[in-house]
Amino acid sequence: MRPNELSPLFALADVLKGVGPHVVTLLKKALKLPPGVTQPRVIDLLWHLPTGVIDRRAEPTVAAAIPGTIATLKVRVLKHKAPPRGNTKAPYKVSTEDETGRLDLVFFRAERSFVERQLPVGEERYVSGRVERYGETLQMAHPDYIVSPDHRADLPLLEPVYPLTGGLSGKILLKAERQALHRAPPLPEWQEPAWLKQQGWPSFQEALRRIHHPEDAGDVSAGSTPLQRLAYDELLANQLALAIVRESFKAQRGRPVKGDGRLRERIAAALPFKLTNSQRAALAEIEADMGAPRRMLRLLQGDVGSGKTVVALMAMTTAVEAGAQAALMAPTEVLARQHAETIAPLADAAGLRIGLLTGREKGRNRDELLSRLASGEIDILIGTHALFQDDVVFHDLAFAVIDEQHRFGVHQRLALQTKGGGGGANMLVMTATPIPRTLLMTHYGDLEVSKLTEKPAGRKPIKTLMLSTDRLEKLIARIKANVAEGAQVYWVCPLIESSDVSDLAAAEERHAHLTQVIGEGVGLLHGSMNATAKDATMAAFADGNLKILVATTVIEVGVNVPNASIMVIEHAERFGLAQLHQLRGRVGRGSRESFCTLLYQDPLTKTARDRLETMVSEDDGFIIAEKDLELRGGGEVLGARQSGEAEFRVAGGANFSDMLSAAHDDARMILASDPDLKTERGEALRRLLYLFECDEAIRLFRAA
Ligand code: ADP
Ligand code: MG
């Protein structure tokens, strides 16, 4: 359905010259591909923005060239001087000159035939690179470019510099970027002409050209007009898509869902605790929404351990009291199973029938589950995103809860809101991450928020310590003693940034090491294990058969094992503070005194130290998020993966939130005057939505 004129941009990158399977693999690493996209496409190259330019415009004579600067010189090749045979350290030199002086081109470990081909004696060449003085002579080591006079136009006089990944050459990427740029078609303008003029922004195509083929170094610097234009395009696409989804969500008549409290009472009686005031207040807000004839979309925000699950269960029970069904979706299989396990005894007490559906339920079991769901013999269905597969049909779904929502990407969220639950089901979204307003806007447009501000009584504070990895062995010895006394330990392995070593390898290594020192009872949990193995490991840890659980960050959200009282996080300096807080929230849930040790690698930067010290002194997730904002500035509040900006490809930086507000208002105005995007500008805006892959929003128009 995507307009044909955009097809060249959505072709796979390997249609470009010089982009073979090997380069594709490298591009996958270098480009930030959106969730769900596995192969780099032409458009992904266009969203991969240069971080600066190399200015090769200085074209001095040899005599006038300034040592230490980048220059482009026109020289004649005089002679080649190969290094003495057997001396691999000496460079291969090529002397050249112009009317004003001599310039030596220097190649270390050069492939002789290559140099000879590039620089034939007696011919003229343009060479571009850093000029240096070496004793009396002027030289250029490994020129970046060597071209003959008739290929002079190939020399990028202002060369954009792109973020690379190991093995990917800047030249190959540049060549691919140039080709990508040529594929960008002129498109009808979707921005308001007056607004464009006021901002001094170029057209979309022109903006891309000025960024990827700059004629002015300023075009590539942060906050340049072409960059702002693209950033605003992206934000407008995002806000427009959200507004469209939200409108269609609201337009669906909700149904008032009212319970009589009889089942909730039984659950309350079965709980070993009383609800906190916060929980009660949130529940009242949720139930008021459910009881109203509008379709509900509400966020329940509460720090780790604040008890969101039980609020969700009570609200789901309300739906069941009203004679309907409810669903609870978790981001991972482990969490879905855990929810099912915690909810099962309470559900039993109230006579609720629950079902569990993840990617793993297959064949007969799955069929049977689905038929019971369809006939209404299941009251509450718990699962992963498998819940939203097409053949999952509810008898009468009135209420859907989505847990730990920040784990899902923007497009998944759009999908959930459009098809999620279907039939006008009320939705409650739960998150432990304090979400700043800007982030809420980028994720949802507008929505109501309930907050759990107090923790259940009797929670013991968690002692947090910082420890240099130099003292690792001491720590392990102490943990060995703790384990002997019955303590259980989470050991989280570092997030690896370089792609040389995988998270998994690091976790495996630590697992082997701890097993060696401590002996039996050390388990390993990581993302690429299959579901059965994951469950078995989690279950063994929950039952106390495993004493130490070495894990990659798969345990980050939601997991609840009250007896676990020690959390060790390796390379804590690499995590976002919100993520550390989430991880730490896995302990301090039982009666044991709890500890969280943040292992770090010396030397720490001042900011890194301040951040870790914040973790030591603070235990309030909201304050931690604010501190993180202060220390790291803008985009990284929640750790790259969770931050709102991180989900954008172009938008970000200093005026992010102002731009976002403008785009928010713009989107509302557009939809108010052209709700079906039928006008000329509306048609142009549809292309914008496709460009930024908000197809989900467009599908709504087709349905309508
Ligand atoms: P989160 O908000 O992080 O999802 P959970 O719902 O997993 O937190 O709850 C954390 C723990 O607190 C669970 O063991 C739960 O049974 C317990 N809990 C929830 N509410 C209360 C309460 N009001 N009093 C005591 N414990 C509670
Ligand atoms: Mg939870």
Side-chain angles (χ1 to χ4, degrees):
M1 275 296 132
R2 183 188 292 140
N4 278 338
E5 59 195 315
L6 298 183
S7 306
L9 295 180
F10 285 91
L12 292 183
D14 63 10
V15 298
L16 305 175
K17 260 192 274 163
V19 181
H22 179 59
V23 175
V24 165
T25 313
L26 297 170
L27 286 178
K28 268 195 232 171
K29 284 192 203 147
L31 309 181
K32 193 165 78 183
L33 298 180
V37 172
T38 54
Q39 295 297 321
R41 301 151 309 169
V42 172
I43 192 149
D44 299 313
L45 283 162
L46 292 177
W47 298 148
H48 188 62
L49 304 178
T51 48
V53 288
I54 298 175
D55 190 341
R56 310 184 177 284
R57 286 175 301 181
E59 294 192 62
T61 58
V62 171
I66 304 167
T69 63
I70 303 263
T72 300
L73 297 114
K74 187 181 186 186
V75 291
R76 180 173 299 279
V77 181
L78 293 177
K79 68 170 187 247
H80 286 231
K81 281 183 285 189
R85 221 169 258 292
N87 184 349
T88 51
K89 288 225 180 89
Y92 186 111
K93 286 193 182 178
V94 179
S95 352
T96 69
E97 65 169 10
D98 68 3
E99 316 68 72
T100 68
R102 291 274 286 262
L103 174 73
D104 277 352
L105 305 179
V106 182
F107 301 87
F108 293 90
R109 271 184 247 116
E111 196 188 309
R112 182 171 182 152
S113 62
F114 173 79
V115 181
E116 279 171 353
R117 243 184 302 126
Q118 295 278 306
L119 294 159
V121 172
E123 300 217 351
E124 283 197 317
R125 286 292 181 268
Y126 283 94
V127 294
S128 186
R130 187 172 299 276
V131 180
E132 270 146 3
R133 180 161 297 289
Y134 183 70
E136 285 301 291
T137 45
L138 200 62
Q139 68 174 38
M140 184 184 286
H142 298 269
D144 301 326
Y145 289 90
I146 302 173
V147 299
S148 59
D150 39 328
H151 283 96
R152 201 184 151 209
D154 295 349
L155 253 180
L157 287 179
L158 266 181
E159 181 180 351
V161 182
Y162 296 93
L164 294 173
T165 193
L168 181 61
S169 103
K171 269 191 198 168
I172 290 185
L173 182 57
L174 182 67
K175 205 170 139 197
E177 292 284 359
R178 284 279 151 91
Q179 297 173 70
L181 186 60
H182 283 301
R183 289 177 154 248
L187 295 170
E189 185 56 68
W190 47 75
Q191 298 293 358
E192 188 89 76
W195 169 243
L196 276 187
K197 201 157 163 217
Q198 187 200 332
Q199 300 293 321
W201 288 346
S203 73
F204 177 72
Q205 196 192 30
E206 172 71 5
L208 283 176
R209 196 197 53 72
R210 281 173 54 187
I211 288 164
H212 290 289
H213 199 155
E215 277 160 24
D216 180 343
D219 282 346
V220 178
S221 59
S224 74
T225 47
L227 281 170
Q228 285 202 20
R229 150 95 214 209
L230 295 188
Y232 191 76
D233 281 342
E234 181 169 35
L235 292 172
L236 182 61
N238 165 274
Q239 289 301 302
L240 197 55
L242 285 168
I244 289 166
V245 170
R246 190 84 180 91
E247 285 305 314
S248 97
F249 193 95
K250 273 190 188 156
Q252 295 171 35
R253 289 263 296 290
R255 52 190 277 200
V257 178
K258 290 198 176 105
D260 55 13
R262 79 204 134 87
L263 299 175
R264 263 167 303 157
E265 253 161 48
R266 285 206 250 162
I267 290 182
L271 283 174
F273 49 76
K274 278 215 178 83
L275 294 188
T276 62
N277 289 332
S278 255
Q279 284 171 320
R280 244 190 284 273
L283 198 55
E285 287 169 349
I286 293 165
E287 289 181 342
D289 268 8
M290 291 171 77
R294 287 171 288 116
R295 198 172 167 199
M296 152 181 172
L297 177 59
R298 180 175 281 274
L299 183 74
L300 176 60
Q301 196 167 301
D303 206 351
V304 277
S306 58
K308 295 183 289 294
T309 319
V310 68
V311 173
L313 175 61
M314 291 296 206
M316 290 194 290
T317 306
T318 300
V320 179
E321 284 171 355
Q325 291 169 301
L328 169 60
M329 182 173 86
T332 65
E333 171 116 24
V334 167
L335 268 185
R337 289 190 184 270
Q338 186 181 296
H339 277 322
E341 271 160 36
T342 30
I343 288 174
L346 298 167
D348 269 354
L352 296 173
R353 298 157 299 179
I354 67 173
L356 176 66
L357 181 67
T358 68
R360 204 166 116 215
E361 272 66 43
K362 292 203 176 87
R364 277 255 307 280
N365 283 343
R366 184 172 188 277
D367 294 345
E368 200 196 322
L369 180 73
L370 291 184
S371 89
R372 287 198 298 142
L373 187 68
S375 64
E377 287 162 68
I378 285 179
D379 299 311
I380 295 178
L381 184 64
I382 299 167
T384 55
H385 47 264
L387 293 192
F388 294 102
Q389 285 160 351
D390 286 342
D391 62 344
V392 177
V393 181
F394 288 83
H395 174 66
D396 181 17
L397 179 68
F399 185 58
V401 183
I402 298 174
D403 193 17
E404 306 293 357
Q405 170 87 340
H406 65 268
R407 275 294 182 101
F408 301 101
V410 158
H411 299 288
Q412 271 170 306
R413 271 189 294 271
L414 290 175
L416 287 178
Q417 287 180 45
T418 49
K419 66 181 166 221
N426 294 294
M427 298 236 302
L428 178 70
V429 166
M430 306 201 290
T431 177
T433 312
I435 306 181
R437 207 184 96 80
T438 49
L439 198 55
L440 277 181
M441 270 168 62
T442 60
H443 284 186
Y444 304 99
D446 302 297
L447 86 174
E448 279 77 41
V449 181
S450 295
K451 285 186 184 162
L452 297 181
T453 49
E454 66 189 311
K455 292 232 167 139
R459 285 282 159 77
K460 295 225 177 84
I462 303 164
K463 282 217 176 89
T464 303
L465 330 151
M466 292 167 64
L467 197 69
S468 159
T469 31
D470 300 346
R471 318 235 315 260
L472 181 70
E473 294 309 324
K474 262 178 94 176
L475 173 69
I476 294 178
R478 210 173 60 216
I479 282 184
K480 188 173 178 179
N482 289 325
V483 165
E485 288 161 13
Q488 282 183 283
V489 183
Y490 290 106
W491 190 296
V492 177
C493 276
L495 212 61
I496 306 268
E497 275 152 3
S498 95
S499 45
D500 309 346
V501 199
S502 67
D503 296 13
L504 176 56
E508 275 172 343
E509 196 183 317
R510 182 61 67 223
H511 174 251
H513 177 174
L514 289 171
T515 304
Q516 196 186 17
V517 180
I518 292 177
E520 293 282 280
V522 185
L524 176 62
L525 189 72
H526 58 80
S528 41
M529 274 160 77
N530 72 33
T532 327
K534 263 189 215 163
D535 291 350
T537 306
M538 246 352 270
F541 188 64
D543 296 346
N545 294 330
L546 285 177
K547 298 301 176 196
I548 302 187
L549 185 65
V550 178
T552 53
T553 45
V554 289
I555 60 159
E556 182 186 336
V557 288
V559 174
N560 190 28
V561 178
N563 188 52
S565 60
I566 299 176
M567 167 68 64
V568 178
I569 305 171
E570 285 195 53
H571 279 297
E573 74 277 8
R574 295 186 187 165
F575 290 84
L577 289 194
Q579 235 180 329
L580 289 176
H581 182 65
Q582 287 264 352
L583 286 168
R584 176 170 64 184
R586 300 306 113 214
V587 297
R589 294 173 169 238
S591 52
R592 276 175 194 281
E593 182 166 25
S594 294
F595 297 91
C596 173
T597 302
L598 305 173
L599 276 172
Y600 62 87
Q601 179 86 59
D602 267 321
L604 278 183
T605 63
K606 166 131 188 2
T607 312
R609 183 168 296 276
D610 286 352
R611 295 176 65 238
L612 294 185
E613 279 168 1
T614 300
M615 291 304 298
V616 171
S617 59
E618 263 309 327
D619 69 348
D620 181 314
F622 285 79
I623 295 179
I624 287 174
E626 270 169 28
K627 259 284 193 305
D628 207 13
L629 182 64
E630 212 175 279
L631 289 172
R632 295 207 282 179
E636 294 182 88
V637 208
L638 305 172
R641 192 163 45 79
Q642 295 169 14
S643 94
E645 290 179 53
E647 298 202 12
F648 289 102
R649 318 201 68 185
V650 194
N655 55 357
F656 178 76
S657 51
D658 290 342
M659 286 243 232
L660 183 63
S661 301
H664 176 80
D665 297 345
D666 210 357
R668 316 221 121 216
M669 257 144 58
I670 290 166
L671 287 185
S673 64
D674 184 12
D676 300 314
L677 297 186
K678 285 271 168 56
T679 63
E680 201 178 318
R681 183 177 181 210
E683 290 290 340
L685 282 162
R686 285 174 185 240
R687 290 185 179 81
L688 173 69
L689 290 172
Y690 277 115
L691 270 177
F692 286 98
E693 298 172 72
C694 303
D695 305 23
E696 209 52 65
I698 300 179
R699 218 162 286 148
L700 288 175
F701 286 120
R702 276 199 280 135

